């Protein structure tokens, strides 16, 4: 058989997109020291220096910059580092990940990577909620500030400071994905005209943004491969999937694996978001297990066990059988996780159509997600939301 040549591949056709490097997890996390090469579906001749394009641009302040706020908005007019250009082939994977110039390029690539995923789930382009004032999102690659934030026309990234070691959030995919999640959420729901004390707009925004981060991470093939190999297919183990915004190899800002119910949380928006995030994480894991059972990689009795109350003997048995099945059929485990990821991601995205930002409550958001889900996923999501006391049990 004679193999035909692909002229587009050989010629480096710009319509194929543009190459970048992205760290799926911060490079100080063991196993993620090297970035992944990704193709962004943007023609090379549509990306300018910065990088920049029709929807966003990056600035990298030369001196310390005050974070944006109500009285400070883009565009940035101060002294800035020279905008970073592509390599001779017009791709952006020619930079060393250790270079200072890599920060703005990595931040830009991460925002686009996340945006592409969620536009796919939504089935339409995201129009920035601030586009009547600012036609493009301004990404600030580095601010000397222990935080990151997204707001009206901007996304800016500071750095963590753990034990005197500063790590830029521009290299932290979780952080960038979370902030991009806020921008997607506001662009789809709109800004509330008024938020009362009983509303959950900000809590759901935090939960949604954490879930954007979690689900987007699962779109790196290398990340799924590492995750499953490390856990031998057992996602109940403590792993990189359930940690948000790692600031060092030992610390993180939040955990998706939690057992909080609504009766146990405060009114603080991040705390109140935890049961919602936990319900979605539990649903992804449960759908993953159902796929494994359907594909002959797990005992059907797994579906009758409450995973939140596993006895040690049951857990050890599950771990052993899962490890053996993973050794034989590793690709099936990857397919199962991708299926669970997309079932939940599509329902989460579709639910935004029916969310009213002025009256949003967590039970309404949960009901919208269940209504947007298909078949088995709807039942699993409903049961997990009920266990978390977000919606009432039937």
């Amino acid at each position: 058989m004679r193999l035909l040549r692909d002229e587009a591949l050989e010629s480096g056709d710009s319509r194929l997109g543009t190459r970048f490097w992205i760290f799926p997890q911060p490079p100080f996390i063991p196993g993620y020291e090297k970035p992944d090469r990704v193709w962004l579906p943007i023609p090379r001749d549509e990306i300018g220096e910065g990088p920049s394009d029709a929807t966003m641009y990056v600035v990298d302040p030369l001196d310390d910059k005050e974070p944006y706020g109500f009285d400070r908005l883009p565009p940035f007019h101060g002294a800035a580092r020279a905008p970073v250009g592509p390599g001779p082939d017009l791709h952006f994977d020619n930079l060393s990940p250790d270079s200072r110039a890599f920060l703005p390029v990595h931040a830009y690539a991460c925002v686009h990577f996340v945006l592409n995923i969620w536009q796919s789930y939504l089935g339409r382009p995201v129009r920035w909620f601030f586009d009547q004032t600012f036609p493009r999102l301004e990404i600030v690659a580095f601010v000397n500030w222990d935080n990151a934030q997204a707001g009206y026309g901007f996304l800016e990234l500071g750095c963590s400071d753990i034990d005197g070691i500063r790590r830029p959030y521009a290299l932290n995919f979780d952080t960038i994905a979370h902030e991009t999640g806020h921008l997607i959420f506001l662009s789809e729901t709109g800004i509330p005209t008024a938020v009362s004390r009983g509303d959950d707009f900000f809590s759901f925004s935090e939960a949604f943004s954490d879930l954007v981060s979690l689900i987007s991470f699962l779109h790196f093939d290398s990340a799924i491969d590492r995750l499953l190999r490390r856990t031998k297919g057992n996602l109940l183990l403590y792993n990189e999937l359930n940690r948000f915004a790692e600031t060092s190899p030992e610390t993180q800002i939040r955990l998706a694996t939690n057992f909080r119910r609504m009766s146990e949380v405060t009114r603080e928006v991040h705390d109140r978001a935890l049961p919602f995030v936990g319900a979605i994480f539990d649903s992804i894991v449960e759908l993953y297990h159902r796929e494994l059972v359907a594909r002959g990689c797990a005992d059907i009795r797994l579906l009758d066990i409450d995973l939140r109350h596993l006895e040690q003997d049951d857990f050890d048995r599950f771990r052993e059988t899962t490890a053996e099945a993973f050794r034989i059929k590793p690709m099936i485990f990857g397919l199962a996780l991708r299926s669970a990821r997309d079932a939940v991601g599509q329902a989460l995205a579709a639910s935004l159509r029916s969310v009213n930002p002025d009256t949003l409550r967590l039970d309404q958001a949960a009901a919208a997600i269940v209504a947007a889900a298909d078949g088995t996923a709807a039942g699993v999501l409903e049961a997990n939301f009920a266990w978390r006391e977000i919606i009432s049990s039937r």
Side-chain angles (χ1 to χ4, degrees):
M1 180 179 70
R2 183 171 66 88
L3 295 178
L4 300 177
R5 294 194 314 170
D6 189 324
E7 301 290 348
L9 285 175
E10 291 194 358
S11 65
D13 193 330
S14 68
R15 291 170 296 179
L16 294 173
T18 309
R19 295 192 307 266
F20 287 82
W21 294 111
I22 293 181
F23 287 102
Q25 290 279 288
F28 53 78
I29 301 298
Y32 292 92
E33 296 86 355
K34 295 182 179 180
D36 286 9
R37 180 179 275 114
V38 301
W39 285 81
L40 296 181
I42 314 170
R44 284 173 283 165
D45 56 7
E46 293 182 11
I47 303 180
E49 292 184 335
S52 61
D53 58 50
T55 62
M56 64 187 73
Y57 64 95
V58 188
V59 296
D60 193 1
L62 189 60
D63 303 313
D64 283 353
K65 170 192 173 297
E66 284 292 317
Y68 285 132
F70 291 116
D71 58 342
R72 289 184 300 277
L73 290 175
F76 176 71
H77 291 296
R81 297 175 187 271
V84 182
D89 57 0
L90 299 184
H91 291 287
F92 283 83
D93 59 350
N94 61 308
L95 293 168
S96 167
D98 296 325
S99 67
R100 181 63 178 77
F102 185 72
L103 293 186
V105 174
H106 187 262
Y108 172 90
C110 290
V111 174
H112 260 296
F113 187 84
V114 174
L115 193 61
N116 291 336
I117 292 166
W118 290 88
Q119 287 181 152
S120 176
Y121 284 146
L122 289 163
R124 60 183 181 277
V126 170
R127 287 189 57 186
W128 299 129
F129 66 96
F130 47 79
D131 67 355
Q132 294 300 306
T133 308
F134 305 117
R136 298 192 295 170
L137 171 70
E138 180 180 283
I139 303 170
V140 183
F142 185 81
V143 180
N144 189 17
W145 180 46
D146 187 11
N147 207 342
Q149 65 171 350
Y152 198 78
F154 66 87
L155 187 160
E156 57 184 348
L157 301 161
C159 61
S160 65
D161 189 342
I162 305 295
D163 297 328
I165 301 175
R166 300 203 317 168
R167 295 185 170 101
Y169 285 127
L171 295 182
N172 193 314
F173 177 79
D174 281 342
T175 298
I176 299 171
H178 177 95
E179 298 304 331
T180 305
H182 282 304
L183 295 173
I184 293 170
F185 176 69
L186 289 169
S187 296
E188 289 299 307
T189 65
I191 301 174
T193 56
V195 178
S196 69
R197 183 173 178 80
D199 292 343
D200 288 317
F201 180 84
F202 294 110
S203 291
F204 183 60
S205 179
E206 290 299 331
F208 178 82
S209 298
D210 273 348
L211 295 167
V212 164
S213 173
L214 185 154
I215 291 171
S216 298
F217 168 73
L218 289 175
H219 279 264
F220 291 98
D221 290 339
S222 64
I224 287 182
D225 180 59
R226 289 187 189 99
L227 173 66
L228 293 176
R229 282 191 288 107
R230 282 181 168 179
T231 63
K232 295 183 173 61
N234 182 1
L235 298 186
L236 300 181
L237 296 172
Y238 183 66
N239 60 72
E240 57 264 43
L241 177 60
N242 55 36
R243 302 175 68 191
F244 289 116
E246 289 94 334
T247 52
S248 77
E250 295 80 28
T251 59
Q252 68 286 315
I253 294 173
R254 290 178 296 283
L255 283 172
T257 300
N258 69 79
F259 300 104
R260 304 290 291 282
R261 302 190 193 209
M262 294 306 295
S263 59
E264 302 167 339
V265 300
T266 66
R267 289 299 308 181
E268 196 279 324
V269 295
H270 297 88
D271 191 47
R272 192 167 172 78
L274 286 175
F276 205 100
V277 174
I280 294 290
F281 180 81
D282 290 349
S283 298
I284 292 174
V285 173
E286 186 172 340
L287 289 168
Y288 164 70
H289 288 161
R290 287 177 179 270
E291 283 289 324
L292 293 181
V293 170
R295 295 169 184 267
C297 292
D299 192 315
I300 194 170
R301 290 176 295 179
L302 175 64
L303 304 184
D304 298 322
I305 299 173
D306 186 341
L307 300 176
R308 289 174 287 258
H309 300 290
L310 269 181
E311 298 292 337
Q312 187 62 48
D313 289 347
D314 289 330
F315 181 79
D316 291 341
R317 192 178 306 112
F318 168 63
R319 181 173 56 186
E320 290 170 5
T321 56
T322 301
E324 177 61 19
F326 179 73
R327 186 182 66 82
I328 298 170
K329 303 177 181 179
M331 291 187 66
I332 300 300
F333 281 71
L335 291 173
L337 184 51
R338 290 178 177 89
S339 175
R341 171 200 73 191
D342 290 339
V344 172
Q346 288 168 356
L348 188 59
S351 73
L352 297 181
R353 298 189 185 100
S354 56
V355 167
N356 184 336
D358 291 322
T359 60
L360 196 156
R361 297 197 316 268
L362 289 180
D363 61 329
Q364 295 172 339
I369 293 171
V370 172
D374 294 328
T376 302
V380 169
L381 285 160
E382 184 175 23
N384 281 308
F385 282 132
W387 189 89
R388 300 284 180 161
E389 303 171 347
I390 297 170
I391 60 176
S392 300
S393 301
R394 291 187 179 182

